[in-house]
Amino acid sequence: MTHQIAVIPGDGIGQEVTPAAVDVLEALSPDFEFVEGDAGDAVKAETGEALPQDTRDIAANSDATLFGAAGETAADVILPLRDVVGSFANVRPAVSYPGLDAVQPDTDIVFIRENTEGVYSGIESEIADGVTTLTRVVTEDASRDIAEFGFDYAAANGYDDVTVAHKANVMRETDGLFLETAEAVAEGRDAAYDTALMDALAMHLVMHPEEYGVVICPNLAGDMLSDLAAGLVGGLGLLPSANVGSENALFEPVHGSAPDIAGKGIANPSAMILSAAMLLDHLGYGDEADRVRAAVEGVLDEGPRTPDLGGDATTSDVTEAVIDRL
Ligand code: ATP
């Protein structure tokens, strides 16, 4: 069966790492047909729209989407794109690899981030000169969906430790509901879990990441804690992610467009290639996904490495090395 894959490189290093991931997928030759769409700053400057309708349609009508990064227009691109694919869960694994000089070499944590509401609901206003407000939306339905997804993910992927992150002692209504709903889900299935205040959790993750497995988070907390974990394992060039919906999904690196290194050909393609591995898993190509992860792991261990990991290799050197191992 042929799968149609939408490819949306976007801005900055998205233009460099997305083709690298497509090359890796092509080297494996599953039955994929790639359809490219434009999004981001450059297309906005040209057409006035950061996410043209054509691109939305390509993502909506594909079996999965590979997305690179968006720059200034990120909120106008990735938030609606996540909506187009109906994504409610953002899966962000932070894993340390052998051979890298990571701050915490014993890290294997998957952040399961609520992806539709919280402080990213987009309800902001200036109510008076110099006074702004933001509405934080938390619903029982979305909290239940993300908790169920998180506990299912832990069970399916062999993680014994599940932690629910919250700040219910201060945000009593919103995180109170998030926590209470997640606890009801856990108790309903007799699953073991812990809860943690998200600020204290940030400290514990830095000091003892080996104590954590799956961490279920409200939207903003998941965004921040996963970037923090990126720092523990070797940087943003290593973290992939999946935006999962009930019928469609979008895969993207956790990093952004990295304007400081864009155009230099030195971006680390690992996060994007590992995102492609998550896409393979999602479409039922588990063996191929494992082969990609093993190839990336081998290259991270033995080189070549891009400058963010202390090497002097280019994006294409690393991509070719991954493909050679495949
Ligand atoms: P944006 O606003 O698009 O999110 P940003 O620069 O604020 O862009 P990132 O793009 O995530 O945020 O980059 C943060 C830092 O991490 C930058 O110094 C960037 O060079 C580095 N970085 C991010 N991704 C990579 C990568 N794939 N390879 C090497 N360095 C990276």
Side-chain angles (χ1 to χ4, degrees):
M1 178 187 167
T2 304
H3 290 289
Q4 179 174 310
I5 311 296
V7 177
I8 307 174
D11 297 312
I13 62 168
Q15 291 285 339
E16 301 162 48
V17 296
T18 313
V22 172
D23 286 350
V24 169
L25 289 175
E26 279 181 333
L28 286 164
S29 60
D31 207 358
F32 286 172
E33 187 188 322
F34 297 98
V35 184
E36 192 155 325
D38 293 324
D41 300 355
V43 69
K44 179 162 187 189
E46 236 175 76
T47 67
E49 266 188 300
L51 185 63
Q53 187 60 42
D54 258 12
T55 307
R56 288 173 193 254
D57 293 344
I58 290 171
N61 297 324
S62 295
D63 296 301
T65 295
L66 263 188
F67 174 72
E72 295 297 314
T73 52
D76 302 324
V77 174
I78 191 58
L79 298 182
L81 264 181
R82 286 177 183 154
D83 212 34
V84 165
V85 301
S87 147
F88 62 91
N90 188 200
V91 182
R92 295 183 160 197
V95 177
S96 45
Y97 293 94
L100 289 186
D101 191 17
V103 175
Q104 286 288 11
D106 196 12
T107 305
D108 181 354
I109 305 173
V110 183
F111 295 90
I112 305 290
R113 167 190 172 200
E114 201 290 320
N115 214 13
T116 64
E117 53 184 31
V119 291
Y120 289 176
S121 303
I123 310 171
E124 281 193 288
S125 44
E126 182 174 18
I127 55 169
D129 210 16
V131 185
T132 54
T133 61
L134 162 73
T135 301
R136 182 173 199 259
V137 178
V138 175
T139 64
E140 188 176 347
D141 283 351
S143 303
R144 188 184 312 107
D145 286 348
I146 198 66
E148 283 178 347
F149 184 93
F151 282 105
D152 286 348
Y153 185 97
N157 293 280
Y159 287 93
D160 295 331
D161 298 308
V162 178
T163 305
V164 178
H166 67 95
K167 189 74 183 171
N169 57 338
V170 177
M171 295 183 280
R172 291 183 185 145
E173 289 295 333
T174 52
D175 264 10
L177 179 60
F178 183 84
L179 177 61
E180 188 186 297
T181 309
E183 290 188 301
V185 167
E187 278 147 26
R189 56 178 70 199
D190 213 13
Y193 71 101
D194 268 329
T195 66
L197 290 168
M198 55 178 78
D199 45 355
L201 177 60
M203 180 195 73
H204 280 287
L205 285 171
V206 169
M207 298 180 74
H208 296 291
E210 72 286 354
E211 292 177 4
Y212 296 89
V214 165
V215 182
I216 300 172
C217 311
N219 203 337
L220 173 63
D223 200 8
M224 297 184 65
L225 292 175
S226 56
D227 268 31
L228 175 139
L232 299 181
V233 301
L236 279 168
L238 296 175
L239 258 67
S241 82
N243 295 277
V244 182
S246 46
E247 286 174 15
N248 205 337
L250 177 147
F251 301 83
E252 56 169 335
V254 168
H255 64 71
S257 62
D260 52 336
I261 57 165
K264 297 184 178 163
I266 54 165
N268 186 345
S270 303
M272 188 79 225
I273 295 172
L274 292 167
S275 303
M278 294 178 86
L279 178 149
L280 286 164
D281 267 332
H282 178 76
L283 293 178
Y285 295 93
D287 290 346
E288 286 85 349
D290 287 343
R291 284 174 58 202
V292 171
R293 278 187 283 266
V296 170
E297 196 168 309
V299 172
L300 290 173
D301 190 11
E302 291 176 17
R305 293 181 185 157
T306 42
D308 56 306
L309 299 178
D312 58 6
T314 63
T315 307
S316 24
D317 294 336
V318 173
T319 309
E320 276 164 31
V322 170
I323 291 172
D324 281 351
R325 282 176 182 265
L326 288 174

